[in-house]
Amino acid sequence: MMDRFLVSLTFVSALGTGLIAGLFFAFSAFVMTALSRLPSEQGIAAMQSINIAVLNPLFGTVFMGTALTSVVLTIFSFFKWGEGDVVYLLMGGLLYVVGSFLVTIMCNVPLNDVLAAVDPSSTEGAEVWTRYISSWTAWNHVRTLASLAALASFILALR
């Protein structure tokens, strides 16, 4: 019974990391580039709107739910250590929790908070936007790679 549960949880975690990796990839591949090409006032306003819209139950369930399942898989990996490909559960769980979830909370969200506090039409807003684009995108690349690596690890654990 536990093995079936573990397989199901790994499968759900793989789906969650895949969805999140795709979202982060889209921002790294073209969304931030498109926003950076807009006048700063428009780019700030668009990103402020995105940062409000993302706070919804569907995204929250996938993002937080995947963090929760990743933590559970990480814990299970210690109890199942030495069995099969359990190292991939550990790697996948840690990659998602540290490289995606914690990077978001500790790096991207504070940058979003700073951006939310500026007036898009102000000189300060333009300065914040220039720094924001660079820093936020760099941390997003980290989240993208970590989520993709977590997805690959969960897939390897399922074979």
Side-chain angles (χ1 to χ4, degrees):
M1 183 65 163
M2 188 56 70
D3 287 331
R4 183 174 286 166
F5 172 75
L6 199 58
V7 167
S8 297
L9 199 60
T10 305
F11 184 76
V12 167
S13 296
L15 291 176
T17 56
L19 285 169
I20 296 300
L23 173 70
F24 292 160
F25 174 78
F27 273 84
S28 281
F30 58 86
V31 172
M32 295 309 287
T33 300
L35 292 177
S36 73
R37 290 179 180 166
L38 296 173
S40 62
E41 183 175 345
Q42 292 174 13
I44 293 168
M47 194 65 186
Q48 287 173 335
S49 182
I50 290 168
N51 288 336
I52 292 167
V54 76
L55 300 176
N56 68 71
L58 184 56
F59 173 77
T61 299
V62 174
F63 184 68
M64 299 290 282
T66 303
L68 178 62
T69 60
S70 293
V71 167
V72 171
L73 289 173
T74 299
I75 293 168
F76 265 113
S77 71
F78 290 110
F79 291 106
K80 297 259 187 198
W81 197 254
E83 295 181 26
D85 292 331
V86 76
V87 67
Y88 294 117
L89 293 179
L90 176 64
M91 288 174 30
L94 289 176
L95 282 163
Y96 185 81
V97 169
V98 174
S100 181
F101 184 78
L102 288 179
V103 165
T104 297
I105 300 304
M106 296 172 64
C107 301
N108 293 86
V109 168
L111 290 167
N112 291 345
D113 292 343
V114 169
L115 189 68
V118 300
D119 176 359
S121 61
S122 69
T123 302
E124 178 194 7
E127 292 167 2
V128 167
W129 181 241
T130 300
R131 289 189 308 272
Y132 179 90
I133 286 287
S134 175
S135 296
W136 192 96
T137 304
W139 284 115
N140 192 66
H141 293 337
V142 171
R143 300 186 308 174
T144 302
L145 293 172
S147 296
L148 285 171
L151 172 60
S153 295
F154 290 141
I155 289 170
L156 290 170
L158 287 170
R159 30 172 211 130

